[in-house]
Amino acid sequence: QVQLVESGGGLVQAGGSLRLSCAASGSIFSINAMGWYRQAPGKQRELVAAITSGGSTNYADSVKGRFTISRDNAKNTVYLQMNSLKPEDTAVYYCNAAARVGAGEYDYWGQGTQVTVSS
């Protein structure tokens, strides 16, 4: 079992910045990768950024150059630094951990944190 606790959402004006944090606990040794997803009203959940245990990163095209994902292994925490925020970034942001379970992989999710960008 992996538990994820997110923090850092809020309301910000367009062009502003926010940093999201996701602290993992439990069977953290089983985590292959962690990432951030978001879901806006009426839309499907989408990948924003991900980082593997080896440090490789992947970003959605819509956030490249504006968002940065990073991890602090000592704190078992993943961060999403969001700069130059746009109203279309408004969504609930979810932390995700892909963990090994037996021969397969299982997705764990945080509770979500609201990010609202005003124009």
Side-chain angles (χ1 to χ4, degrees):
Q1 290 279 344
V2 174
Q3 294 78 43
L4 303 173
V5 178
E6 301 141 339
S7 60
L11 173 65
V12 65
Q13 289 188 332
S17 298
L18 283 174
R19 189 177 81 157
L20 305 182
S21 300
C22 175
S25 61
S27 302
I28 56 175
F29 57 88
S30 66
I31 296 175
N32 289 328
M34 294 185 69
W36 290 94
Y37 287 71
R38 66 186 180 188
Q39 187 166 19
K43 295 187 177 181
Q44 289 189 329
R45 190 173 297 189
E46 63 175 359
L47 174 68
V48 176
I51 185 166
T52 68
S53 56
S56 297
T57 58
N58 182 40
Y59 295 93
D61 288 342
S62 59
V63 306
K64 284 181 181 177
R66 301 188 297 122
F67 291 11
T68 302
I69 189 169
S70 62
R71 63 193 298 166
D72 183 334
N73 290 329
K75 295 182 178 179
N76 301 318
T77 299
V78 171
Y79 304 98
L80 184 68
Q81 178 66 43
M82 305 185 293
N83 297 329
S84 302
L85 282 161
K86 304 176 180 180
E88 51 263 44
D89 294 318
T90 295
V92 178
Y93 284 69
Y94 296 91
C95 180
N96 167 270
R100 296 183 302 278
V101 177
E105 194 171 81
Y106 185 82
D107 283 321
Y108 292 92
W109 297 93
Q111 78 281 4
T113 186
Q114 178 70 47
V115 171
T116 302
V117 184
S118 62
S119 56

